[in-house]
Amino acid sequence: MSHWAHGIPFPPSEGLRCRAASPVAARHCQLPISAHAGSAALRTWGGQRISESEEPICSARGCTQPARVALKWNNPKIHTSERRKTWLACDDHKQSLIEFLSARGFMRETEPV
């Protein structure tokens, strides 16, 4: 008897290896980018430009609260030591996101937003 996972049969003795689900939504953010001369500073959020007056949103899955801190991280197995990825966190999710990243050895630094 075989079991199916993602449409592929496998013996039940082998089981599946699953990664832990990420606690963040699939959004991408780059904190302030240099603005063109004479224009207001802009940020990118999920590939869209937004003005500095719009508040960035917490990256935690399902959260719509304003972000208060940027969590800078990288995965040393796939990123160079100077590369930083950014998750944004509200006050409610800051600690849980830091714990998630720290448990994997990914957390590098925090910055206020």
Side-chain angles (χ1 to χ4, degrees):
M1 177 178 168
S2 66
H3 296 269
W4 289 82
H6 305 289
I8 302 168
F10 68 96
S13 60
E14 290 181 20
L16 285 176
R17 282 187 265 153
C18 298
R19 294 185 307 162
S22 173
V24 300
R27 291 180 264 189
H28 302 283
C29 178
Q30 297 172 351
L31 294 178
I33 59 173
S34 59
H36 297 287
S39 66
L42 297 172
R43 295 177 190 238
T44 59
W45 184 255
Q48 296 179 337
R49 291 178 147 203
I50 60 172
S51 71
E52 285 288 329
S53 62
E54 293 184 52
E55 280 192 301
I57 303 298
C58 178
S59 298
R61 188 171 306 203
C63 186
T64 58
Q65 296 298 313
R68 300 290 178 229
V69 65
L71 309 177
K72 302 290 188 166
W73 65 277
N74 75 356
N75 179 342
K77 290 183 180 179
I78 60 174
H79 301 127
T80 61
S81 60
E82 58 277 344
R83 170 83 190 267
R84 294 293 183 266
K85 300 197 70 151
T86 303
W87 284 353
L88 301 176
C90 66
D91 294 332
D92 292 340
H93 292 107
K94 177 183 173 183
Q95 192 59 40
S96 63
L97 293 176
I98 288 174
E99 288 172 5
F100 180 88
L101 293 168
S102 296
R104 289 153 180 80
F106 295 173
M107 190 65 210
R108 300 296 174 246
E109 67 258 353
T110 62
E111 294 177 2
V113 175

